[in-house]
Amino acid sequence: MVFLTANSLAALVDSTISTKSSLLGRAVHAQIVKTFDSPLPPFLSNHLVNMYSKLDLPNSAHLVLYLTPYRSVVTWTSLISGSVQNGRFASALVQFVNMRRECIPPNDFTLPCVFKASGWLRMFITGKQVHAVAVKTGLIWDVFVGCSAFDMYCKTGLRDEASKMFDEIPERNIATWNAYISNSVLDGRPQNAIEKFIEFLRVGGEPNSITFCAFLNACSDTSNLKLGRQLHGFVIRCGNGKDVKVMNGLIDFYGKCREVGSSEMVFDKIKQRNDVSWCSLIAVYMQNDEEEKACGVFLQARKEGIEPTDFMVSSVLSACAGMAGFELGRSVHALAVKACVEGNIFVGSALVDMYGKCGSIIDSENAFQEMPEKNLITWNAMINGYAHQGHADMALALFEEMRGIQGVKPNYVTLVCVLSACSKAGLVKMGMEIFESMRGRYGIEPGAEHYACVVDLLGRAGLVERAYEFIQKMPIRPTISIWGALLGACRVYRKPAIGKIAADNLFKLDPKDSGNHVVLSNMFAAAGRWEEATVVRKEMKDVGIKKGAGFSWITVKNSVHVFQAKDTFHERNSEIQIMLSKLRRKMKEAGYVPDTDYALFDLEEEEKISEVWYHSEKIALAFGLIAIPSGVPIRITKNLRICGDCHSAIKFISGIVGREIIVRDNNRFHCFKEGRCSCRDYW
């Protein structure tokens, strides 16, 4: 029979913490009770309190503590540190108060935990009281206690006290300097962080990975590419070029400075990449609008056996949303379920957003409803999903529901989503009421995006003159999106005079954008003002501005098929042309009349009909009908705004073939079904 000593049992208790096995911990506890008479030896009780506290079993930890007759500072500190480690900061402070009531003085391990709890709870008064205890006991001069006090003052926003505390610390270690630099960055004072880093080097300090990463964050916040590059060289000279944490920080820094090539170079040089390395590169591509590359990196990471984390999954889902990658998004969703991260609030919010932006509002609703916890990002994603697909009533109903949830308050983005929903549905009165109540009711100062939504709201409703007057009275300088919304309304309602004003302002703000010139030219042509239309086209040619090519793409069996207008290069072109002819015949029988307002104005009518019939989205749709099985929705993405003729034609086709057709253009979603569109012909 093997007899376990107190020391071996204590070692077993500690092993349960590293293995995070509460079942093993309770078994060892039972063996201790069986081996020793009550009360248990104090040092074993301390180990048990520490175990239960670290395993986040506070009730068991408290029970053991109160069954221990001789409680020491070690007993209480075990309980307090475990509470802090598991985010139970308020509980940690209560336990500290109870310890003081028993007249047990804290030690240099207790006080850092209590300072941390005070800082996280932003309880600066409590933090100051703990500081007084530290001074009274003489522990404030301990480097770790002093550093914790300094960090607490930084976290609670007391800059003067933090600076004074830093100056009073007699011996500063690397943790103290890191705390100063990191907190300066978090507090929005990156220049202060840079200056402190330089001072640290001057006094002979040797930075570690935390120091380097904090400094890189300061450089990226100030867009100081030159200084960051200097640090990169310093890192290599110091022999830290193989430190994966520092390399990850460099990937992130270069990405934020829009130096994607440098991020890729650093990534390629890392020999032992971890999941953060892959996540960092994915984030870089996302920040620089290269969603396809972000998805490619994710797939490569999976091939190399990297397990998906919540951050990685949420980032890739955002990439799928940006490129309307519905099929890949569903695959990532399946991986999230397999990795047990789909319940994470950030992953769940990304799923809601991805499905909404891929045109599957039902999947978006399901993801929203299944989330165990929702934050403001989740609500905004769902409201925005409804808005993009023209379900203004659902968006507004959800907005009202959100306002009734305690702890969830509408923010800047929420109001943009709601105003966008009103705009797309033509709810002028409702939209104006919400806009005018932003300051008083929600405490939100209207920004450029809100003003653009209002201009779009008025313009779409045909109130073009009112929209122009609104712009003239705005307290901010009109942006590209504001003038663009007005120009779009002038095109639809044929207001060339105001349209010319909007276009002239757009030319000043973005002279290289061909789209604005084309809209103005077509608007003049539609109004019969041919000379002015010709002048605009000539100006484009003289300046060297070329009209952006229109593309439509569709995904079939994990392959992306891209089409341009009049495209005949696809391997299944003969089948596509047969399908187009078949559709054209059936549509004519159903009463379809081509809308040639969207063709070039200098063509004959018959040529115009042919021109609009071979637009890229129609060709992509014809391919989808022959390549995608019956009953499966056809999803098409277009880089430009869908024209009126294509919109009308696809409505006819959806009724003829009995298929759901989803088109995402550069403005919104159009869900065609049974001869109707979700936008209700209002886009």
Side-chain angles (χ1 to χ4, degrees):
M1 185 175 182
V2 178
F3 292 96
L4 295 172
T5 64
N7 287 333
S8 60
L9 286 168
L12 275 174
V13 171
D14 290 341
S15 70
T16 64
I17 299 173
S18 60
T19 58
K20 298 181 180 179
S21 174
S22 58
L23 185 64
L24 177 61
R26 292 191 186 280
V28 176
H29 188 180
Q31 184 61 46
I32 290 172
V33 172
K34 185 178 178 181
T35 305
F36 296 94
D37 295 329
S38 184
L40 300 177
F43 88 99
L44 275 178
S45 294
N46 294 342
H47 278 280
L48 287 169
V49 170
N50 183 55
M51 176 195 73
Y52 283 124
S53 187
K54 292 290 194 301
L55 293 176
D56 200 20
L57 297 168
N59 292 336
S60 298
H62 279 95
L63 184 60
V64 175
L65 181 133
Y66 287 113
L67 290 175
T68 304
Y70 305 107
R71 294 186 284 272
S72 66
V73 65
V74 177
T75 318
W76 284 101
T77 300
S78 298
L79 186 63
I80 293 167
S81 65
S83 297
V84 170
Q85 181 178 304
N86 288 291
R88 299 179 181 274
F89 302 116
S91 179
L93 293 180
V94 170
Q95 292 151 12
F96 178 70
V97 170
N98 290 335
M99 184 189 85
R100 296 294 292 145
R101 282 176 179 164
E102 292 189 2
C103 299
I104 297 174
N107 62 15
D108 53 346
F109 291 98
T110 318
L111 291 173
C113 295
V114 183
F115 276 128
K116 184 175 182 179
S118 303
W120 275 99
L121 294 172
R122 306 292 189 268
M123 296 176 66
F124 66 88
I125 294 177
T126 301
K128 285 186 173 183
Q129 291 172 337
V130 177
H131 187 179
V133 172
V135 172
K136 188 176 180 180
T137 57
L139 292 170
I140 193 61
W141 308 122
D142 178 89
V143 65
F144 295 103
V145 175
C147 181
S148 299
F150 165 74
D151 188 63
M152 178 274 297
Y153 282 124
C154 290
K155 291 287 192 299
T156 54
L158 301 178
R159 293 182 182 178
D160 293 339
E161 286 82 351
S163 182
K164 187 177 179 182
M165 185 70 242
F166 184 83
D167 293 337
E168 289 178 354
I169 297 175
E171 182 186 350
R172 300 173 192 141
N173 62 3
I174 183 68
T176 313
W177 288 95
N178 285 347
Y180 194 107
I181 297 168
S182 299
N183 280 297
S184 294
V185 175
L186 291 172
D187 198 31
R189 295 178 291 130
Q191 192 58 44
N192 191 249
I194 292 170
E195 292 168 1
K196 220 62 183 178
F197 176 81
I198 295 170
E199 182 185 338
F200 175 53
L201 293 181
R202 284 174 179 165
V203 299
E206 295 183 3
N208 60 12
S209 59
I210 297 173
T211 326
F212 287 132
C213 290
F215 182 78
L216 285 169
N217 284 333
C219 291
S220 59
D221 286 351
T222 56
S223 299
N224 197 330
L225 179 62
K226 183 180 178 181
L227 193 59
R229 286 193 188 280
Q230 290 175 345
L231 182 81
H232 190 173
F234 180 70
V235 165
I236 294 171
R237 288 198 306 273
C238 290
N240 292 89
K242 295 182 180 179
D243 189 324
V244 67
K245 292 180 182 177
V246 179
M247 293 297 102
N248 292 342
L250 282 165
I251 292 170
D252 178 68
F253 158 72
Y254 283 124
K256 287 176 179 174
C257 291
R258 308 196 74 80
E259 289 286 320
V260 178
S262 297
S263 290
E264 293 170 335
M265 178 192 69
V266 174
F267 179 82
D268 291 338
K269 288 185 177 180
I270 302 175
K271 292 183 179 179
Q272 298 293 328
R273 299 171 188 141
N274 57 17
D275 60 332
V276 178
S277 308
W278 292 94
C279 287
S280 297
L281 189 59
I282 290 170
V284 166
Y285 286 132
M286 286 298 301
Q287 291 161 1
N288 291 277
D289 303 317
E290 296 192 29
E291 289 87 358
E292 192 170 341
K293 285 188 177 181
C295 293
V297 170
F298 174 74
L299 295 174
Q300 185 61 36
R302 293 293 299 140
K303 287 180 182 177
E304 296 197 14
I306 301 296
E307 289 299 318
T309 63
D310 50 1
F311 179 80
M312 185 184 292
V313 169
S314 59
S315 297
V316 176
L317 286 170
S318 296
C320 294
M323 57 188 275
F326 179 73
E327 295 300 329
L328 180 58
R330 291 186 70 176
S331 300
V332 176
H333 187 179
L335 278 174
V337 173
K338 188 177 179 181
C340 299
V341 296
E342 84 282 3
N344 177 276
I345 194 166
F346 299 107
V347 173
S349 299
L351 281 168
V352 173
D353 183 59
M354 183 273 294
Y355 281 124
K357 288 179 178 176
C358 288
S360 182
I361 200 67
I362 294 175
D363 287 320
S364 185
E365 289 173 332
N366 290 339
F368 181 81
Q369 296 297 337
E370 289 172 4
M371 286 183 65
E373 180 187 359
K374 302 176 182 71
N375 61 9
L376 184 57
I377 295 171
T378 319
W379 289 92
N380 286 349
M382 192 70 247
I383 293 171
N384 193 46
Y386 283 134
H388 267 295
Q389 297 193 39
H391 302 304
D393 51 347
M394 298 295 290
L396 292 169
L398 194 66
F399 175 61
E400 288 301 317
E401 183 183 341
M402 185 196 78
R403 287 177 53 208
I405 304 294
Q406 190 173 3
V408 180
K409 184 180 178 183
N411 66 357
Y412 188 99
V413 176
T414 314
L415 271 299
V416 172
C417 296
V418 173
L419 288 171
S420 177
C422 292
S423 171
K424 287 177 171 62
L427 302 176
V428 177
K429 184 178 179 181
M430 173 74 73
M432 293 306 298
E433 286 177 357
I434 291 171
F435 175 78
E436 290 166 2
S437 67
M438 281 180 61
R439 291 187 187 89
R441 192 169 189 176
Y442 305 109
I444 298 171
E445 185 67 26
E449 292 85 356
H450 302 110
Y451 286 108
C453 285
V454 172
V455 173
D456 193 51
L457 171 72
L458 297 171
R460 285 174 185 271
L463 305 173
V464 180
E465 290 82 3
R466 185 176 166 187
Y468 180 51
E469 290 172 8
F470 178 82
I471 292 175
Q472 291 177 305
K473 295 177 182 178
M474 279 175 15
I476 66 170
R477 186 184 296 274
T479 61
I480 291 173
S481 58
I482 291 171
W483 286 118
L486 183 64
L487 179 61
C490 291
R491 182 191 64 82
V492 173
Y493 291 100
R494 303 194 178 186
K495 302 282 185 180
I498 298 177
K500 180 68 166 59
I501 296 171
D504 287 342
N505 281 281
L506 282 168
F507 297 160
K508 292 175 185 176
L509 292 171
D510 192 5
K512 295 297 182 182
D513 187 349
S514 64
N516 298 323
H517 291 79
V518 172
V519 170
L520 181 62
S521 174
N522 289 344
M523 182 170 58
F524 281 139
R529 296 164 64 168
W530 307 109
E531 290 184 6
E532 290 166 287
T534 304
V535 168
V536 175
R537 295 276 181 168
K538 186 176 182 300
E539 286 176 353
M540 286 178 64
K541 187 176 181 180
D542 292 342
V543 179
I545 300 173
K546 294 182 179 180
K547 180 185 175 183
F551 293 95
S552 293
W553 58 93
I554 183 171
T555 303
V556 178
K557 294 181 180 178
N558 296 322
S559 294
V560 179
H561 300 259
V562 184
F563 299 92
Q564 282 185 275
K566 303 179 184 178
D567 204 326
T568 58
F569 298 105
H570 195 273
E571 59 184 12
R572 300 182 69 176
N573 178 62
S574 58
E575 295 174 81
I576 292 172
Q577 297 305 320
I578 292 170
M579 176 59 72
L580 283 170
S581 299
K582 181 180 177 182
L583 290 172
R584 192 172 185 176
R585 186 177 64 255
K586 288 188 175 182
M587 288 165 64
K588 188 175 182 180
E589 293 171 358
Y592 162 71
V593 178
D595 186 347
T596 57
D597 281 351
Y598 300 91
L600 293 172
F601 61 84
D602 53 353
L603 296 178
E604 296 295 330
E605 186 62 26
E606 190 172 327
E607 292 177 296
K608 288 182 179 181
I609 293 173
S610 177
E611 182 82 18
V612 297
W613 180 248
Y614 290 102
H615 278 183
S616 62
E617 51 266 58
K618 292 191 182 84
I619 299 173
L621 175 55
F623 173 68
L625 288 169
I626 63 176
I628 297 175
S630 178
V632 178
I634 297 173
R635 302 175 186 277
I636 299 168
T637 307
K638 184 175 173 64
N639 66 329
L640 302 177
R641 186 178 185 272
I642 187 173
C643 78
D645 180 71
C646 286
H647 189 272
S648 176
I650 296 174
K651 278 202 305 179
F652 270 91
I653 293 170
S654 68
I656 291 169
V657 301
R659 298 282 289 271
E660 182 180 2
I661 303 164
I662 301 163
V663 179
R664 176 181 173 177
D665 66 9
N666 68 346
N667 185 51
R668 66 177 294 170
F669 275 100
H670 299 270
C671 298
F672 300 92
K673 195 173 183 180
E674 297 176 353
R676 292 188 295 272
C677 180
S678 60
C679 75
R680 301 168 189 170
D681 298 337
Y682 195 92
W683 87 99

